[in-house]
């Protein structure tokens, strides 16, 4: 950019200009460009080092939490299994309770591993990320994946009509909607006469006047206390961690936010 500009200025110059003057002017410009490049690269290296350090610290934190979670689950499974092996005349009720402990902890370990794998794929440029389908098709597939769990919890999963006729990344929509649906099932209100979760989508206008597609997952479950909504998408945060019967690692919604952000979108609670 700089040197073609210099050549143009020289060509347009009406006054006399020697070859030496042109070369000297070009040299000054070359030095200026070199200084700018060096300063830019130094600043970039500082930002890159800071970014790498932050990612490493987050990774260490993830490793600590995941290791602790899986270690506790394995301990519960081994403990229940040990009792089953040692006690021959165990009652049916106790046997069923111990088998339930093993099954529940095994499922939670599987969910933890799946969440970690999903988190590791965030932003990765793989083939599946490029498989585009209709928005309604991706939403129905996510609903299909949680159908059995929803039926067991007696929750009606509704996919509302009228979704925009656009193509979306199958991987992104399925992953995010499935996480929302899983949360709706997990935090269903046992006292509600009718339990439901519904998915809708519409094209809306932002405050800045831009157009965007908004996908909403709405349910009539336990809800989220207002003072905890800002942290809802943070890694390892759980709004209902005091309820012992509801288990999880607090990774699901963080995966949603990271995945949506990698596509230039955003996720938020209402």
């Amino acid at each position: 950019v700089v040197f073609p500009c210099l050549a143009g200025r020289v060509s347009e110059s009406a006054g006399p200009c020697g070859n030496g003057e042109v070369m000297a002017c070009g040299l000054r410009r070359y030095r200026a460009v070199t200084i700018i490049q060096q300063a830019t690269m130094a600043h970039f290296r500082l930002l890159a080092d800071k970014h790498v350090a932050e990612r490493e610290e987050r990774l260490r934190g993830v490793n600590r939490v995941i290791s602790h979670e899986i270690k506790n689950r394995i301990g519960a499974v081994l403990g229940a299994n040990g009792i089953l092996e040692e006690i021959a005349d165990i009652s049916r009720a106790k046997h069923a309770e111990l088998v339930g402990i093993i099954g529940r902890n095994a499922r939670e370990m599987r969910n933890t591993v799946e969440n970690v794998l999903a988190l590791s794929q965030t932003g990765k440029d793989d083939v599946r990320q490029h498989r585009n389908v209709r928005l309604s098709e991706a939403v129905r597939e996510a609903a299909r994946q949680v159908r059995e769990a929803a039926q067991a919890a007696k929750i009606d999963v509704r996919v509302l009509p009228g979704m925009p006729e656009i193509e979306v990344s199958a991987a992104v929509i399925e992953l995010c909607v499935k996480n929302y649906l899983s949360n709706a099932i997990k935090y269903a209100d046992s006292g509600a006469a009718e339990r439901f979760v519904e998915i809708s989508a519409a094209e809306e206008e932002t405050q800045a006047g831009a157009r965007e597609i908004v996908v909403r997952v709405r349910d009539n479950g336990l809800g989220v206390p207002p003072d905890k909504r800002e942290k809802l998408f943070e890694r390892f945060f759980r709004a209902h961690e005091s309820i012992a019967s509801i288990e999880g690692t607090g990774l699901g919604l963080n995966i949603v936010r990271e995945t949506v952000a990698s596509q230039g979108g955003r996720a938020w609670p209402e």
Side-chain angles (χ1 to χ4, degrees):
V1 173
V2 172
F3 289 102
C5 178
L6 173 62
R9 292 297 184 183
V10 171
S11 300
E12 295 170 0
S13 177
C17 183
N19 293 336
E21 292 176 312
V22 173
M23 292 297 295
C25 186
L27 180 60
R28 288 196 296 271
R29 279 161 171 74
Y30 176 77
R31 286 175 176 172
V33 170
T34 301
I35 291 172
I36 292 172
Q37 288 176 332
Q38 290 174 346
T40 302
M41 185 55 65
H43 184 61
F44 172 78
R45 283 198 299 266
L46 288 174
L47 293 177
D49 290 344
K50 181 180 179 182
H51 182 65
V52 169
E54 290 175 351
R55 289 182 65 88
E56 288 179 346
E57 181 57 34
R58 287 200 301 269
L59 181 59
R60 283 191 288 269
V62 170
N63 288 338
R64 286 193 296 269
V65 173
I66 295 301
S67 299
H68 179 73
E69 176 75 15
I70 293 181
K71 182 180 178 180
N72 287 343
R73 301 291 180 190
I74 291 175
V77 169
L78 293 177
N81 182 72
I83 296 174
L84 288 173
E85 290 180 340
E86 293 173 4
I87 303 177
D89 58 342
I90 191 170
S91 66
R92 285 189 175 183
K94 189 64 176 178
H95 182 275
E97 179 187 349
L98 294 172
V99 170
I101 291 174
I102 293 174
R104 183 171 64 254
N105 283 278
R107 287 191 296 271
E108 285 300 326
M109 281 192 287
R110 180 194 62 191
N111 292 338
T112 298
V113 172
E114 288 178 350
N115 281 336
V116 172
L117 289 175
L119 200 59
S120 69
Q121 295 294 324
T122 300
K124 187 175 180 181
D125 188 22
D126 59 15
V127 175
R128 188 164 181 268
Q129 289 283 3
H130 293 288
R131 184 174 69 87
N132 290 338
V133 299
R134 292 286 184 181
L135 174 61
S136 57
E137 180 182 338
V139 168
R140 290 193 188 95
E141 173 59 23
R144 185 196 64 79
Q145 294 175 14
V146 301
R147 183 183 301 156
E148 291 184 4
Q151 290 175 347
K154 298 181 180 179
I155 295 176
D156 182 20
V157 178
R158 308 167 184 168
V159 179
L160 302 186
M163 292 190 177
E165 290 295 323
I166 61 166
E167 288 195 349
V168 296
S169 168
V172 170
I173 296 299
E174 290 171 19
L175 174 65
C176 295
V177 173
K178 181 183 176 182
N179 265 289
Y180 279 136
L181 294 175
S182 297
N183 266 18
I185 295 170
K186 184 184 296 184
Y187 296 101
D189 185 358
S190 58
E194 179 188 17
R195 306 173 200 170
F196 70 86
V197 53
E198 60 184 26
I199 312 107
S200 62
E203 183 177 357
E204 300 181 5
E205 185 173 335
T206 66
Q207 293 181 348
R211 306 294 295 178
E212 64 180 2
I213 300 297
V214 179
V215 179
R216 285 188 169 84
V217 181
R218 173 177 169 266
D219 67 85
N220 65 336
L222 297 178
V224 180
D227 59 327
K228 295 185 177 182
R229 290 174 190 169
E230 289 187 2
K231 296 183 178 181
L232 195 58
F233 288 86
E234 292 183 6
R235 192 170 296 180
F236 307 122
F237 179 79
R238 297 183 62 210
H240 296 284
E241 59 184 353
S242 60
I243 304 178
S245 60
I246 300 178
E247 301 175 334
T249 58
L251 281 174
L253 290 182
N254 181 260
I255 290 173
V256 170
R257 185 180 66 178
E258 295 290 338
T259 303
V260 172
S262 72
Q263 302 295 308
R266 58 196 177 97
W268 71 93
E270 292 180 355

